[in-house]
Structure formats: structure tokens, C-alpha cells
Amino acid sequence: MINKQKIWFLTLFSLILVLSVYYITMPSDLLSVTASKTTDTTTTTKASKTTETVSETDVLTALQVELDEERQALAAEYNEILTNKDTSTEEKNNAYDGLKQIDEIKAQEEKLEKILKDNLKLDSFIKIDGTNINVTVKKKDHDYSLANSIMRLINEEYDTKMYVSVKFQN
């Protein structure tokens, strides 16, 4: 039997998912066309500065939104298992452990992004998948010594061997 809480959760989750997909697929040209139609010059200046900022961080933001959507879908599955009366205790424990693992991985990724921001002054996106760590850095130049520094900084945070790959994006 579906209760009101599940219906509200699914409704709000669907709304968030649709809005995030709309935001990602919305062309940046639409923002600049809206800014050019404005007659006030100060408003046009502010709007164009905003669109420049959005386009600069667009790649990293898109990657982060995509990863967040995947994790929200997985968390929704785990929550459904936890709230279902018919599931066994073992399945509920596994779902709870899955939710904890999602939170731990997200915390590790944020910690590593902060380390790269503080030490190397780089905007980055980090995705951890088991022992693989994928790092996407917002930088035009593909510098081997910088990639090596990033790998060393990340490996210093772990006791076990982590496989770090670095990708540069414009």
C-alpha cells in the first residue's frame, strides 16, 4: 500500500529531477539573448557577467549534477527498501549500509576537492569509485607536473593504493 509520505517523496524527487535536467539542457545562448533584450545598460552588464560565470564553471557543474542525480536515485532505492514493510532485516541493513557509504564517499570527494582548492588553487570535480579516483580539473594547459602533484596530494590522504586519473577541461 502506498502511503502519503511515499507519494510526496516521489513527487518532490521527480520535480527536482525534471528541473535539474531542464537546467542542464538549457542552452547558455538563451541567457545571453535575455540579457541583450534588456534596455538598461547596468542590468545588461550584470546579466552578461552572470552568464560568463555560468559558462566558465559549466563543465564541472554539469558533472557534479549528473553524479548527484545518480546518487539521489540510488538513495531513493535504498530509502524505498528501508520503508518497505515486506523487506527482510538483512536487506534493510544492506540498504542502510549503502546510504552510509554514499555519504562517506561524498564527504571524501568534498574533502579532496577542498585540498586541491587550498593547495593548488584549482577548481575540480572528483568522483570516487572503489579504488579509482577520477579528477577533472578546470584548466586549459595540460601540465604533467601538475597532474603528478594532484596524484601525490590525493594518494597522501589514503593508506592503501588508489588509482588516480587526472583529466583537464577548458
Side-chain angles (χ1 to χ4, degrees):
M1 179 176 196
I2 299 177
N3 58 15
K4 290 181 181 179
Q5 187 178 14
K6 287 182 184 178
I7 290 173
W8 276 108
F9 175 77
L10 290 174
T11 304
L12 292 175
F13 179 75
S14 300
L15 180 64
I16 291 171
L17 184 65
V18 168
L19 289 175
S20 60
V21 168
Y22 175 74
Y23 176 75
I24 291 172
T25 59
M26 188 173 70
S28 59
D29 298 334
L30 182 64
L31 295 174
S32 60
V33 168
T34 306
S36 65
K37 289 182 180 178
T38 309
T39 56
D40 189 2
T41 57
T42 59
T43 308
T44 305
T45 306
K46 289 179 185 176
S48 63
K49 287 180 183 177
T50 304
T51 56
E52 289 173 7
T53 306
V54 169
S55 63
E56 288 176 0
T57 59
D58 193 31
V59 173
L60 298 179
T61 305
L63 291 172
Q64 186 65 44
V65 167
E66 181 181 335
L67 182 62
D68 287 343
E69 286 176 355
E70 289 175 12
R71 289 191 178 150
Q72 285 176 353
L74 189 59
E77 290 177 21
Y78 287 146
N79 282 327
E80 187 175 322
I81 291 171
L82 286 173
T83 57
N84 192 352
K85 295 177 184 176
D86 298 331
T87 57
S88 68
T89 307
E90 183 179 338
E91 289 174 337
K92 287 184 179 185
N93 286 338
N94 290 338
Y96 179 72
D97 290 340
L99 285 173
K100 279 180 32 179
Q101 186 179 17
I102 289 172
D103 290 339
E104 289 172 1
I105 289 173
K106 187 169 183 169
Q108 288 176 357
E109 289 172 350
E110 289 173 357
K111 177 183 171 186
L112 292 175
E113 286 176 4
K114 186 176 184 312
I115 289 172
L116 290 181
K117 183 73 168 175
D118 293 343
N119 292 341
L120 300 175
K121 309 290 188 254
L122 293 172
D123 289 330
S124 62
F125 166 76
I126 297 177
K127 181 178 180 181
I128 299 175
D129 185 24
T131 59
N132 296 326
I133 300 176
N134 298 319
V135 180
T136 304
V137 178
K138 182 77 174 171
K139 190 167 173 87
K140 286 183 179 180
D141 301 330
H142 304 302
D143 187 11
Y144 292 113
S145 62
L146 179 62
N148 194 18
S149 299
I150 292 170
M151 289 179 195
R152 286 185 183 169
L153 275 174
I154 290 175
N155 275 322
E156 287 175 0
E157 296 297 317
Y158 293 96
D159 296 332
T160 61
K161 176 71 174 161
M162 299 300 279
Y163 299 99
V164 181
S165 64
V166 179
K167 181 178 177 183
F168 293 96
Q169 288 282 335
N170 288 339

Short mmCIF file of all heavy atoms in Angstrom, two decimals, residues 19-59:
data_model
loop_
_atom_site.label_atom_id
_atom_site.label_comp_id
_atom_site.label_asym_id
_atom_site.label_seq_id
_atom_site.Cartn_x
_atom_site.Cartn_y
_atom_site.Cartn_z
N LEU A 19 13.61 19.49 -13.00
CA LEU A 19 14.21 20.82 -13.02
C LEU A 19 15.72 20.77 -13.25
O LEU A 19 16.27 21.61 -13.97
CB LEU A 19 13.90 21.55 -11.72
CG LEU A 19 12.44 21.99 -11.55
CD1 LEU A 19 12.24 22.59 -10.17
CD2 LEU A 19 12.03 22.95 -12.63
N SER A 20 16.39 19.79 -12.67
CA SER A 20 17.83 19.71 -12.88
C SER A 20 18.16 19.32 -14.33
O SER A 20 19.11 19.85 -14.91
CB SER A 20 18.47 18.74 -11.90
OG SER A 20 17.92 17.45 -12.07
N VAL A 21 17.40 18.42 -14.91
CA VAL A 21 17.62 18.07 -16.31
C VAL A 21 17.34 19.27 -17.21
O VAL A 21 18.08 19.55 -18.14
CB VAL A 21 16.74 16.87 -16.72
CG1 VAL A 21 16.73 16.67 -18.22
CG2 VAL A 21 17.22 15.61 -16.03
N TYR A 22 16.30 20.03 -16.90
CA TYR A 22 15.98 21.24 -17.67
C TYR A 22 17.12 22.24 -17.56
O TYR A 22 17.52 22.85 -18.55
CB TYR A 22 14.68 21.86 -17.17
CG TYR A 22 14.35 23.17 -17.83
CD1 TYR A 22 13.88 23.22 -19.13
CD2 TYR A 22 14.53 24.36 -17.17
CE1 TYR A 22 13.59 24.42 -19.74
CE2 TYR A 22 14.25 25.57 -17.76
CZ TYR A 22 13.78 25.59 -19.06
OH TYR A 22 13.53 26.79 -19.65
N TYR A 23 17.67 22.42 -16.37
CA TYR A 23 18.76 23.38 -16.17
C TYR A 23 19.99 22.97 -16.97
O TYR A 23 20.66 23.80 -17.57
CB TYR A 23 19.11 23.48 -14.69
CG TYR A 23 20.28 24.36 -14.41
CD1 TYR A 23 20.18 25.74 -14.48
CD2 TYR A 23 21.52 23.81 -14.11
CE1 TYR A 23 21.26 26.56 -14.24
CE2 TYR A 23 22.61 24.61 -13.88
CZ TYR A 23 22.48 25.98 -13.94
OH TYR A 23 23.56 26.77 -13.72
N ILE A 24 20.30 21.69 -16.98
CA ILE A 24 21.50 21.21 -17.69
C ILE A 24 21.32 21.37 -19.20
O ILE A 24 22.24 21.78 -19.90
CB ILE A 24 21.78 19.74 -17.34
CG1 ILE A 24 22.23 19.64 -15.89
CG2 ILE A 24 22.85 19.16 -18.25
CD1 ILE A 24 22.35 18.23 -15.41
N THR A 25 20.13 21.05 -19.70
CA THR A 25 19.93 21.09 -21.14
C THR A 25 19.59 22.46 -21.67
O THR A 25 19.57 22.66 -22.89
CB THR A 25 18.80 20.11 -21.55
OG1 THR A 25 17.60 20.49 -20.88
CG2 THR A 25 19.19 18.69 -21.22
N MET A 26 19.36 23.43 -20.79
CA MET A 26 19.03 24.78 -21.23
C MET A 26 20.26 25.41 -21.89
O MET A 26 21.34 25.44 -21.31
CB MET A 26 18.61 25.63 -20.02
CG MET A 26 18.08 26.99 -20.40
SD MET A 26 17.39 27.88 -19.00
CE MET A 26 18.87 28.26 -18.08
N PRO A 27 20.13 25.89 -23.11
CA PRO A 27 21.29 26.47 -23.79
C PRO A 27 21.71 27.78 -23.15
O PRO A 27 20.88 28.57 -22.69
CB PRO A 27 20.80 26.69 -25.23
CG PRO A 27 19.32 26.77 -25.12
CD PRO A 27 18.93 25.91 -23.95
N SER A 28 23.02 28.00 -23.09
CA SER A 28 23.52 29.24 -22.49
C SER A 28 23.23 30.44 -23.39
O SER A 28 23.26 31.58 -22.94
CB SER A 28 25.01 29.13 -22.22
OG SER A 28 25.71 28.88 -23.42
N ASP A 29 22.97 30.20 -24.67
CA ASP A 29 22.59 31.28 -25.57
C ASP A 29 21.29 31.94 -25.12
O ASP A 29 21.10 33.14 -25.32
CB ASP A 29 22.41 30.76 -27.00
CG ASP A 29 23.68 30.18 -27.57
OD1 ASP A 29 24.76 30.59 -27.11
OD2 ASP A 29 23.58 29.33 -28.45
N LEU A 30 20.41 31.18 -24.55
CA LEU A 30 19.13 31.71 -24.07
C LEU A 30 19.35 32.76 -23.00
O LEU A 30 18.67 33.78 -22.98
CB LEU A 30 18.27 30.57 -23.52
CG LEU A 30 16.88 30.94 -23.02
CD1 LEU A 30 16.03 31.46 -24.17
CD2 LEU A 30 16.22 29.73 -22.39
N LEU A 31 20.34 32.54 -22.14
CA LEU A 31 20.64 33.52 -21.09
C LEU A 31 21.19 34.81 -21.69
O LEU A 31 20.82 35.90 -21.26
CB LEU A 31 21.64 32.94 -20.10
CG LEU A 31 21.15 31.76 -19.28
CD1 LEU A 31 22.29 31.20 -18.45
CD2 LEU A 31 20.00 32.16 -18.40
N SER A 32 22.06 34.72 -22.68
CA SER A 32 22.64 35.93 -23.26
C SER A 32 21.62 36.68 -24.12
O SER A 32 21.67 37.90 -24.20
CB SER A 32 23.88 35.59 -24.08
OG SER A 32 23.55 34.71 -25.12
N VAL A 33 20.67 35.99 -24.77
CA VAL A 33 19.63 36.66 -25.54
C VAL A 33 18.73 37.45 -24.61
O VAL A 33 18.36 38.58 -24.89
CB VAL A 33 18.81 35.63 -26.36
CG1 VAL A 33 17.56 36.26 -26.94
CG2 VAL A 33 19.66 35.05 -27.46
N THR A 34 18.40 36.88 -23.47
CA THR A 34 17.57 37.58 -22.49
C THR A 34 18.29 38.82 -21.99
O THR A 34 17.69 39.88 -21.81
CB THR A 34 17.25 36.66 -21.31
OG1 THR A 34 16.68 35.46 -21.82
CG2 THR A 34 16.30 37.31 -20.34
N ALA A 35 19.60 38.73 -21.80
CA ALA A 35 20.36 39.87 -21.32
C ALA A 35 20.44 40.97 -22.38
O ALA A 35 20.40 42.16 -22.05
CB ALA A 35 21.76 39.43 -20.93
N SER A 36 20.51 40.62 -23.66
CA SER A 36 20.63 41.64 -24.70
C SER A 36 19.32 42.38 -24.94
O SER A 36 19.33 43.50 -25.43
CB SER A 36 21.13 41.02 -26.00
OG SER A 36 20.17 40.12 -26.48
N LYS A 37 18.20 41.80 -24.59
CA LYS A 37 16.91 42.45 -24.77
C LYS A 37 16.66 43.52 -23.71
O LYS A 37 15.80 44.36 -23.88
CB LYS A 37 15.78 41.43 -24.73
CG LYS A 37 15.73 40.54 -25.95
CD LYS A 37 14.58 39.59 -25.88
CE LYS A 37 14.54 38.70 -27.11
NZ LYS A 37 13.43 37.74 -27.03
N THR A 38 17.40 43.50 -22.65
CA THR A 38 17.21 44.47 -21.58
C THR A 38 17.70 45.83 -22.04
O THR A 38 18.79 45.97 -22.59
CB THR A 38 17.99 44.03 -20.33
OG1 THR A 38 17.65 42.68 -20.05
CG2 THR A 38 17.68 44.89 -19.15
N THR A 39 16.93 46.87 -21.77
CA THR A 39 17.29 48.20 -22.24
C THR A 39 18.22 48.92 -21.28
O THR A 39 19.01 49.77 -21.69
CB THR A 39 16.03 49.06 -22.42
OG1 THR A 39 15.30 49.10 -21.20
CG2 THR A 39 15.15 48.49 -23.52
N ASP A 40 18.16 48.63 -20.03
CA ASP A 40 19.01 49.28 -19.04
C ASP A 40 20.43 48.73 -19.15
O ASP A 40 20.64 47.53 -19.10
CB ASP A 40 18.45 49.03 -17.63
CG ASP A 40 19.16 49.86 -16.58
OD1 ASP A 40 20.06 50.64 -16.93
OD2 ASP A 40 18.81 49.72 -15.39
N THR A 41 21.43 49.60 -19.30
CA THR A 41 22.80 49.15 -19.52
C THR A 41 23.39 48.49 -18.28
O THR A 41 24.18 47.56 -18.40
CB THR A 41 23.70 50.34 -19.93
OG1 THR A 41 23.63 51.34 -18.93
CG2 THR A 41 23.27 50.89 -21.27
N THR A 42 23.06 48.97 -17.11
CA THR A 42 23.60 48.34 -15.90
C THR A 42 23.05 46.94 -15.73
O THR A 42 23.78 46.04 -15.33
CB THR A 42 23.28 49.18 -14.65
OG1 THR A 42 21.86 49.33 -14.52
CG2 THR A 42 23.92 50.54 -14.73
N THR A 43 21.80 46.74 -16.05
CA THR A 43 21.22 45.41 -15.96
C THR A 43 21.87 44.48 -16.98
O THR A 43 22.16 43.33 -16.68
CB THR A 43 19.70 45.46 -16.19
OG1 THR A 43 19.14 46.43 -15.31
CG2 THR A 43 19.06 44.12 -15.97
N THR A 44 22.13 44.98 -18.18
CA THR A 44 22.76 44.18 -19.21
C THR A 44 24.17 43.80 -18.79
O THR A 44 24.59 42.65 -18.99
CB THR A 44 22.82 44.97 -20.54
OG1 THR A 44 21.51 45.38 -20.89
CG2 THR A 44 23.41 44.12 -21.64
N THR A 45 24.90 44.71 -18.18
CA THR A 45 26.25 44.41 -17.72
C THR A 45 26.22 43.34 -16.65
O THR A 45 27.01 42.39 -16.69
CB THR A 45 26.92 45.69 -17.18
OG1 THR A 45 26.86 46.70 -18.17
CG2 THR A 45 28.35 45.42 -16.81
N LYS A 46 25.31 43.45 -15.70
CA LYS A 46 25.23 42.45 -14.64
C LYS A 46 24.84 41.09 -15.20
O LYS A 46 25.38 40.07 -14.80
CB LYS A 46 24.21 42.88 -13.59
CG LYS A 46 24.65 44.05 -12.75
CD LYS A 46 23.57 44.43 -11.75
CE LYS A 46 23.97 45.68 -10.99
NZ LYS A 46 22.88 46.11 -10.09
N ALA A 47 23.92 41.06 -16.13
CA ALA A 47 23.47 39.79 -16.70
C ALA A 47 24.57 39.12 -17.51
O ALA A 47 24.73 37.92 -17.46
CB ALA A 47 22.24 40.01 -17.57
N SER A 48 25.34 39.91 -18.27
CA SER A 48 26.40 39.31 -19.07
C SER A 48 27.52 38.78 -18.18
O SER A 48 28.12 37.77 -18.49
CB SER A 48 26.94 40.31 -20.09
OG SER A 48 27.52 41.42 -19.44
N LYS A 49 27.80 39.45 -17.07
CA LYS A 49 28.79 38.93 -16.13
C LYS A 49 28.31 37.61 -15.54
O LYS A 49 29.09 36.69 -15.34
CB LYS A 49 29.07 39.94 -15.02
CG LYS A 49 29.87 41.13 -15.45
CD LYS A 49 30.12 42.09 -14.31
CE LYS A 49 30.87 43.32 -14.79
NZ LYS A 49 31.05 44.29 -13.71
N THR A 50 27.03 37.51 -15.28
CA THR A 50 26.47 36.28 -14.73
C THR A 50 26.58 35.15 -15.73
O THR A 50 26.96 34.04 -15.37
CB THR A 50 24.99 36.50 -14.34
OG1 THR A 50 24.91 37.60 -13.44
CG2 THR A 50 24.41 35.26 -13.69
N THR A 51 26.28 35.40 -17.00
CA THR A 51 26.36 34.34 -17.99
C THR A 51 27.80 33.90 -18.20
O THR A 51 28.04 32.73 -18.47
CB THR A 51 25.75 34.78 -19.33
OG1 THR A 51 26.39 35.96 -19.78
CG2 THR A 51 24.26 34.99 -19.22
N GLU A 52 28.75 34.81 -18.11
CA GLU A 52 30.15 34.41 -18.22
C GLU A 52 30.54 33.50 -17.08
O GLU A 52 31.22 32.51 -17.28
CB GLU A 52 31.05 35.65 -18.24
CG GLU A 52 30.95 36.46 -19.51
CD GLU A 52 31.73 37.76 -19.43
OE1 GLU A 52 32.46 37.96 -18.45
OE2 GLU A 52 31.60 38.57 -20.35
N THR A 53 30.11 33.80 -15.88
CA THR A 53 30.43 32.97 -14.73
C THR A 53 29.80 31.59 -14.88
O THR A 53 30.43 30.58 -14.59
CB THR A 53 29.92 33.63 -13.43
OG1 THR A 53 30.45 34.95 -13.35
CG2 THR A 53 30.33 32.83 -12.22
N VAL A 54 28.58 31.52 -15.36
CA VAL A 54 27.91 30.25 -15.54
C VAL A 54 28.64 29.41 -16.57
O VAL A 54 28.86 28.22 -16.38
CB VAL A 54 26.44 30.46 -15.95
CG1 VAL A 54 25.81 29.17 -16.41
CG2 VAL A 54 25.66 31.05 -14.80
N SER A 55 29.05 30.00 -17.69
CA SER A 55 29.70 29.23 -18.74
C SER A 55 31.09 28.76 -18.33
O SER A 55 31.54 27.73 -18.80
CB SER A 55 29.78 30.05 -20.03
OG SER A 55 30.58 31.19 -19.83
N GLU A 56 31.78 29.49 -17.45
CA GLU A 56 33.11 29.07 -17.02
C GLU A 56 33.05 27.81 -16.17
O GLU A 56 33.90 26.94 -16.29
CB GLU A 56 33.79 30.19 -16.24
CG GLU A 56 34.24 31.35 -17.09
CD GLU A 56 34.83 32.48 -16.27
OE1 GLU A 56 34.90 32.36 -15.04
OE2 GLU A 56 35.21 33.48 -16.87
N THR A 57 32.10 27.70 -15.30
CA THR A 57 32.02 26.55 -14.41
C THR A 57 31.02 25.52 -14.90
O THR A 57 30.64 24.63 -14.17
CB THR A 57 31.64 27.00 -12.99
OG1 THR A 57 30.37 27.66 -13.07
CG2 THR A 57 32.68 27.90 -12.39
N ASP A 58 30.59 25.65 -16.13
CA ASP A 58 29.53 24.80 -16.66
C ASP A 58 29.93 23.32 -16.69
O ASP A 58 29.13 22.46 -16.34
CB ASP A 58 29.16 25.28 -18.06
CG ASP A 58 27.88 24.66 -18.56
OD1 ASP A 58 27.01 24.36 -17.72
OD2 ASP A 58 27.75 24.48 -19.78
N VAL A 59 31.15 23.00 -17.10
CA VAL A 59 31.58 21.62 -17.22
C VAL A 59 31.60 20.94 -15.86
O VAL A 59 31.05 19.85 -15.69
CB VAL A 59 32.97 21.54 -17.89
CG1 VAL A 59 33.50 20.14 -17.88
CG2 VAL A 59 32.91 22.08 -19.30
#
